[in-house]
Amino acid sequence: MAPAKKPSNRRRRLAYAGLTPFAAYVLIFLALPTILAVVTGFFSDDGSLTFDNITGLFTPTILATFGSSFWLSGVTAVIGAVVGALICYAMLGTKVGGLLRTIIESAASVLAQFGGVMLAFAFIATIGVQGLVTVILRDTFGVDIFADGVWLYQVPGLILPYVYFQVPLMVITFLPALTALRPQWAEASATLGGTRFAYWRHIAAPVLAPAFLGSLLLLFANAFSSFATAAALISQGSQIVPLQIRAALVSETVLGRENMAGALALGMIVVMVVVMWAYSALQSRTSRWQK
Amino acid sequence: MSANQAVRIGAEPSALARRLILGIIGAIFLIPVIAMIEFTFRNGLAGDYTTSHWTGLFSEDSARTYRGLYQAIENSLVLAAVTVGIVLVLLLPTMVLVHMQFPRLKRTLEFICIIPITVPAIVLVVGLAPVYSVVVQVLGGSTWTLAFAYGITVLPYAYRAIQSNLDAIPVKTLSEAASTLGAGWMTVLWKILLPNLRRGVLAASFISIAVVLGEFTIASLLNRRNLQTALLQVSQSDPWVAVIFALAALALAFVLLLIIGRLGAASPSRRKS
């Protein structure tokens, strides 16, 4: 791309110099920590090279942790994607920039960010042992949701709180794809005698499929890397990977290996890179229809 | 059946279906918020209600009782301000520069800015621990230094907000017109581009504030005190006040994001991209 006025070499160099502050910042606070996080996994406590931490990832305990992380992320991603897509469907035909839409979009942005400690509070107040819903169900309907023991502070207890931020994230990521469905396609289909079912079956569904799968993957990654809610709810044990990292960082005695956190971080990055790579591949297919 | 419904041919749901879906899901999503509000009026485990948890906040010794919490809020506000500063001083000029001078670097910059999604806070914090042991030696251990890490955390959000604004204005035409009229590089940036980027910059700032106020992972694992770590600590002894502050933070975030929504809606050109 040739600029209208060719800048002198000096100006060009000056412009390059303008990029250095940001480059230096990203190097120190993004690239360096990422490299450090991964590399420490390959060293033992006394600083010698070792694969013990990496092989430690394949012990039954850690594998089980990855297993429950996958399970939790998968379940909440599927629930979040289906419910979120339903909301997006309901919002079809509402005015872009209209009041209803602005409110739902803002609420979705807040709730998608509403991870963490506050979300844990909300669910303790709702379905905790003395929570509002727990008490109403027990006193009015005689249903004891904790009849088989209190599951809120275990991995199954994370499902509802996670769904609470997964659904809004689905709304944010999937809505643009639904909005890109052109009315002309529906008109063309109807003109040729297509029913609404035929329209969904042959036009809308194929166009939306990559966007839906992509959003599903993003939701999976979101749950997989989420830490704060789990940290606030689960104080005993480390049933999912982020909690294992906490244990490794805080106690420094997990499996007798302080650098286990590095190996766990590497494991997480590998999963995240695969998921996000698939996401961006699907995303570029999606954008074809959004021109 | 209205005439409107009779001619439905596309994907749109009927008005009834829309109200049912949004109504039911909306109601379910309101339950935890209502439960939080109800909880703040509970009188311990006695089963009756009291307003003392709310009034206690405005009593004379509230400042002393909740000193730690107020200090943590101050920390979080300082962190939010410094993080916004990092976005404005480091990210914004770089994005403008790349947009105008190095269009080929655009993909690279975008890639860098979305890395924090793939390398989440819980992973980043493992490597940030050694980095911060150096930062503490150089800059001291005060809380604001944490904003360097938060600047990375907000990159994807801030980038998206500013980029959608950059794509919507004719940067090249504007800057060339200004240069033709004799404006220097700084004048172009300050007087032409920044005013046109106001919406994107505001949106980026607000989303950064919302993210920083909700941040827990990095502060917790680097042993710093911010709003969220303090809330968790306070909740052990006084869960009612912790929930009141959580509600307040939620309301604040909703207002900030509602403003962003209105900002976006006010720029019709953004919707094209």
Side-chain angles (χ1 to χ4, degrees), chain B residues 250-268:
Chain B
L250 192 62
L252 178 68
F254 183 69
V255 170
L256 283 179
L257 286 150
L258 202 62
I259 297 174
I260 297 180
R262 296 312 294 177
L263 284 172
S267 68

Side-chain angles (χ1 to χ4, degrees), chain A residues 1-5 7 11-12 14-19 21-23 25-26 28-30 32-34 36-38 40 83 86-87 89-94 96-100 102-107 109-111 113-118 121-123 125-126 130-133 135 163-165 167-168 172 181 183 186-187 190 195-196 199-200 204 218 221 224-229 231-232 241-243 245-246 249-250 261-262 264-266 268-269 272-273 276 290-291, chain B residues 8-14 17-19 21-22 25 28-36 38-39 42 45 49 86 90-91 93-94 97-98 101-105 109 112-132 135 145 147-153 155 157 160 172 176 179 185 207 210-211 213-214 216-217 220-221 227-229 231-232 235 239 242-243 245-247 249-250 253-255 257-262 265 271-273:
Chain A
M1 205 185 270
K5 198 176 67 179
R11 264 194 64 188
R12 190 84 185 161
L14 212 69
Y16 268 115
L19 295 179
F22 182 72
Y25 172 61
V26 168
I28 298 176
F29 287 98
L30 178 58
L32 186 61
T34 309
L36 281 176
V38 170
T40 50
V83 179
L86 203 61
I87 298 180
Y89 164 72
M91 282 168 74
L92 268 179
T94 56
V96 171
L99 187 66
L100 178 70
T102 310
I103 289 180
I104 292 182
E105 282 177 352
S106 307
S109 317
V110 175
L111 296 182
Q113 282 298 326
F114 183 45
V117 182
M118 301 188 293
F121 291 171
F123 276 84
T126 312
Q130 292 296 327
L132 185 60
V133 171
V135 170
V163 165
Y164 202 77
F165 62 68
V167 172
I172 300 173
L181 282 179
E187 284 158 19
T195 58
R196 285 193 79 209
Y199 168 75
W200 270 106
L218 192 71
F224 190 74
S225 60
S226 176
F227 168 74
T229 312
V241 184
L243 293 182
I245 293 185
R246 170 179 74 175
L249 280 179
V250 173
L264 288 163
L266 176 64
M268 278 195 83
I269 288 186
M272 292 298 285
V273 165
M276 293 307 289
Q290 291 181 2
K291 294 272 156 63
Chain B
R8 276 195 311 127
I9 48 168
E12 288 176 25
S14 66
R18 171 181 305 150
R19 283 197 202 114
I21 295 172
L22 292 182
I25 299 177
I28 292 174
F29 269 75
L30 269 180
I31 293 175
V33 179
I34 295 170
M36 282 171 94
E38 192 254 2
F39 180 77
R42 283 200 189 175
L45 294 174
Y49 291 102
I86 289 173
L90 286 175
L91 179 64
T94 308
L97 196 61
V98 165
Q101 300 274 328
F102 309 103
R104 268 178 302 159
L105 289 180
L109 183 64
I112 291 172
C113 288
I114 58 171
I115 289 179
I117 297 180
T118 312
V119 184
I122 182 68
V123 169
L124 201 63
V125 79
V126 176
L128 275 174
V131 169
Y132 264 90
V135 169
T145 53
F148 289 121
Y150 289 174
I152 297 293
T153 317
L155 264 189
Y157 308 99
R160 210 176 311 153
K172 213 165 171 57
E176 277 172 10
S179 305
W185 157 251
I207 190 92
V211 170
L213 292 185
F216 172 77
T217 309
S220 156
L221 292 175
L227 173 61
Q228 301 295 324
T229 59
L231 278 180
L232 186 59
S235 75
V243 171
F245 276 92
L247 279 170
L250 192 62
F254 183 69
V255 170
L257 286 150
L258 202 62
I259 297 174
I260 297 180
R262 296 312 294 177
R271 296 289 164 189
K272 275 192 299 190
S273 56

Side-chain angles (χ1 to χ4, degrees), chain A residues 6-18:
Chain A
K6 210 175 168 61
S8 68
N9 271 342
R10 209 183 125 255
R11 264 194 64 188
R12 190 84 185 161
R13 251 180 285 143
L14 212 69
Y16 268 115

